[in-house]
Amino acid sequence: MAVSEKIIILDFGGQYNQLIARRIREAGVYCEILNYAAPIDTWRDEALKGVILTGGPNSVYGENAPRLGKEVFELGVPVLGICYGMQLINYVYGGEVSSAEVGEYGHTLLTTEDAPLFQGVSRQTAVFMNHRDRVSAPPKGFSIDAHTDHCPVAAFSDAARGVYGVQFHPEVKHSVEGVKMLRNFAFNICGCKGGYRAEDMIGRMVADIQRQVGSGRVVAGLSGGVDSSVACALAGRALGPDQLTCVFVDHGLLRKDEAKQVMATYRDNLGLNVIHVDASDRFLEALAGVTEPERKRHIIGELFVRVFEEEARRIGADFLLQGTIYPDKIESGMGGSATIKSHHNVGGLPKDSLFTKDHIIEPLSMLFKDEVRAVGEGLGIPRDMVWRQPFPGPGLAVRVIGDITREKLDILRECDAIYLEELKNAGLSDAIWQSFAVLTGVRTVGCMGDDRTYGYCVALRAVTSDDAMTVEAAEIPYAVLKTCTSRIIGEVPGVNRVVYDVTGKPPGTIEWE
């Protein structure tokens, strides 16, 4: 994606790295997360304004610790190290890192000095620490810019060389003035002008699609979700109906009446050339007896590609368009991040696939969910479509825990429909990022009508978020949960217990599988 200015974030495996990117983009500066070992020549260009080195779980003295040479520090742009990134700077420049007698985890009071990174920041401010190792002796020429009770070098810098480091995590919300610090780095130190907005990239993304496709033909995977909808709308603007065919695959894992609703919505609202492929028997047969979540995802991902290949051969298309977004890539372990869960549209095609790497079109692959929504609104997609709740590509396959059967899917669909209806009746739908029911696979003893029952336990899930990278469980009123429970148990045979999931992300994920 062509931009006029950018900051590159080099990933050393820290759990908050996506938040760094969010904070920088929210400030109006485009940035990307890359593996620390990515060749410099692949990301160095005239738009580069700065580099951030992330945190990570390693010790700089560890045998297999990820390290950098001085090449990154000789690019002529400022460098900021966060946590492990700061310790790595210290190591590269000849300082000392040691294990602290007392580690610091969570809320910590930071005392700052008059330094470029802390312009406009309070003399004492709360930050989030997460470390055992620390800088015990900074390199020659570096000034100590902040300290805590247990960390005498909580921040340092060598402004002449444009190198800065902080032991804490300014990107997390617990660092009260962390955003101000990151803005100081981006604007005051790196000299960025800002002004990046995802919707302003529409023209460039359209041009990129046209350039990649040329006179070719494209088959697009349309799931009914926000991401694929926006991707198809972009492609629709870039290409005519003769070049673009959107394929909605019904894999038998959709919510109640969803296939009918999706087809009506896209034909009536977007005017896209959409075809409906009912492949439900094929998917359910392939998933029979499979219980492991990653295996489910891989089976579904490959079958999606096979269906798209068949349609591509039928219409003579040689490109595949997908609604892959940035969090999909990060969670799937792309670029060196830990694999949390494999998204069906990420992680490589089958070796014998019709589509080569150069024939995959992913116009949204560097955007976060809220940025995708902004692009959708910029394209004129109706608001109720743009703000539709996310729905996973594998569908109910990752909401039926254990093996998948038609009976279990039917039970889950009914439970899910009741839950969503009651949330809507209570006026809660708009305040929730995502809500759904899960068939846990656990069977429990109950008592109904004076008889013993042995039925399924259903879990209800509702979360609030800005971008799905971190979430909190929604605080659903007890009366609403009680109504949902009564209706589900009373109306859905085979269910005798309902629970509500209050787990955030982290430590959990939004989906159970």
Side-chain angles (χ1 to χ4, degrees):
M1 185 182 294
V3 290
S4 60
E5 60 180 20
K6 68 179 180 182
I7 289 176
I8 290 297
I9 299 170
L10 296 183
D11 183 359
F12 288 90
Q15 59 183 308
Y16 308 117
N17 298 347
Q18 299 88 352
L19 287 179
I20 303 173
R22 289 295 310 126
R23 302 297 177 248
I24 297 296
R25 289 195 189 182
E26 286 168 353
V29 178
Y30 181 76
C31 65
E32 294 179 24
I33 302 175
L34 300 175
N35 182 266
Y36 74 94
I40 290 177
D41 288 342
T42 63
W43 50 266
R44 173 180 54 190
D45 56 30
E46 293 181 356
L48 183 65
K49 298 297 182 183
V51 176
I52 297 177
L53 313 179
T54 76
N58 299 91
S59 167
V60 291
Y61 296 121
E63 183 177 348
N64 298 314
R67 298 198 181 106
L68 292 175
K70 284 197 174 182
E71 296 85 358
V72 169
F73 304 97
E74 295 171 350
L75 290 171
V77 298
V79 178
L80 170 64
I82 295 175
C83 199
Y84 179 83
M86 176 188 184
Q87 296 166 16
L88 184 60
I89 290 172
N90 202 58
Y91 176 86
V92 168
Y93 280 97
E96 295 181 7
V97 175
S98 61
S99 179
E101 292 182 4
V102 178
E104 289 181 301
Y105 304 97
H107 179 280
T108 306
L109 192 62
L110 180 81
T111 301
T112 67
E113 303 295 336
D114 183 15
L117 203 61
F118 301 119
Q119 292 302 304
V121 174
S122 305
R123 170 73 171 161
Q124 288 196 319
T125 186
V127 297
F128 183 82
M129 286 281 195
N130 188 29
H131 72 100
R132 167 68 69 173
D133 285 358
R134 69 182 186 187
V135 171
S136 51
K140 184 177 180 180
F142 279 67
S143 64
I144 298 175
D145 297 337
H147 69 272
T148 71
D149 288 344
H150 298 290
C151 186
V153 188
F156 65 23
S157 66
D158 184 337
R161 285 187 278 198
V163 181
Y164 303 81
V166 295
Q167 183 59 67
F168 54 90
H169 289 273
E171 67 274 20
V172 304
K173 63 182 180 181
H174 303 84
S175 293
V176 176
E177 297 177 89
V179 170
K180 188 178 295 184
M181 300 171 197
L182 290 173
R183 289 179 63 91
N184 282 339
F185 178 72
F187 295 111
N188 300 345
I189 295 173
C190 296
C192 293
K193 294 181 173 59
Y196 162 77
R197 298 191 315 159
E199 55 266 44
D200 293 337
M201 305 297 290
I202 290 175
R204 292 177 183 175
M205 289 188 283
V206 166
D208 286 344
I209 293 172
Q210 292 171 334
R211 185 166 43 253
Q212 185 176 358
V213 174
S215 60
R217 301 189 70 182
V218 179
V219 62
L222 183 59
S223 69
V226 177
D227 307 329
S228 66
S229 302
V230 174
C232 287
L234 271 171
R237 179 170 292 193
L239 311 168
D242 292 339
Q243 283 187 278
L244 176 66
T245 300
C246 299
V247 179
F248 173 65
V249 178
D250 182 352
H251 50 18
L253 304 164
L254 298 171
R255 285 173 158 172
K256 188 176 181 179
D257 298 328
E258 187 154 23
K260 184 188 302 182
Q261 295 168 3
V262 166
M263 290 302 295
T265 297
Y266 286 99
R267 284 176 175 162
D268 296 344
N269 288 281
L270 296 185
L272 294 171
N273 176 21
V274 185
I275 60 175
H276 178 202
V277 177
D278 185 352
S280 54
D281 289 343
R282 188 170 170 184
F283 275 82
L284 295 181
E285 182 179 341
L287 289 166
V290 177
T291 61
E292 205 279 318
E294 280 294 282
R295 181 66 183 142
K296 290 180 184 178
R297 290 177 176 272
H298 285 293
I299 288 171
I300 292 168
E302 180 169 349
L303 271 179
F304 264 125
V305 172
R306 297 308 183 197
V307 174
F308 293 143
E309 287 175 338
E310 291 162 9
E311 294 304 315
R313 290 188 180 97
R314 187 179 63 81
I315 65 176
D318 50 1
F319 288 89
L320 171 65
L321 181 135
Q322 299 187 130
T324 308
I325 67 173
Y326 206 33
D328 296 344
K329 296 172 63 177
I330 296 298
E331 288 190 335
S332 297
M334 300 293 283
S337 300
T339 300
I340 306 302
K341 58 183 180 184
S342 298
H343 289 259
H344 73 284
N345 54 341
V346 181
L349 297 169
K351 292 182 180 179
D352 59 347
S353 174
L354 170 68
F355 307 107
T356 65
K357 182 179 179 182
D358 293 337
H359 283 69
I360 300 296
I361 306 169
E362 296 177 324
L364 309 177
S365 63
M366 299 310 297
L367 301 183
F368 287 86
K369 178 72 77 173
D370 58 326
E371 295 175 315
V372 173
R373 296 191 199 278
V375 169
E377 290 187 328
L379 288 166
I381 299 175
R383 182 173 175 81
D384 60 341
M385 292 175 64
V386 171
W387 288 93
R388 187 171 186 249
Q389 285 193 11
F391 186 69
L396 301 184
V398 292
R399 295 178 181 174
V400 172
I401 310 304
D403 65 312
I404 299 167
T405 66
R406 291 184 187 275
E407 178 191 14
K408 290 181 180 178
L409 290 169
D410 288 341
I411 289 173
L412 180 56
R413 286 190 184 98
E414 295 301 322
C415 294
D416 190 71
I418 291 170
Y419 181 40
L420 297 185
E421 181 182 338
E422 289 303 327
L423 290 178
K424 184 177 181 179
N425 291 341
L428 297 173
S429 299
D430 290 345
I432 293 172
W433 174 272
Q434 203 166 350
S435 52
F436 54 89
V438 176
L439 193 65
T440 66
V442 174
R443 301 188 73 180
T444 70
V445 173
C447 180
M448 298 171 64
D450 295 327
D451 286 333
R452 177 187 185 273
T453 63
Y454 191 55
Y456 286 111
C457 173
V458 168
L460 304 181
R461 180 88 160 129
V463 298
T464 58
S465 181
D466 292 324
D467 53 25
M469 298 310 301
T470 60
V471 307
E472 297 290 342
E475 296 184 13
I476 305 298
Y478 177 73
V480 176
L481 292 175
K482 189 174 181 180
T483 299
C484 292
T485 299
S486 297
R487 283 196 60 194
I488 288 171
I489 293 176
E491 298 176 28
V492 185
V495 177
N496 69 356
R497 191 177 300 269
V498 176
V499 298
Y500 185 65
D501 180 1
V502 297
T503 312
K505 174 188 178 183
T509 58
I510 297 177
E511 300 291 341
W512 276 38
E513 289 192 341

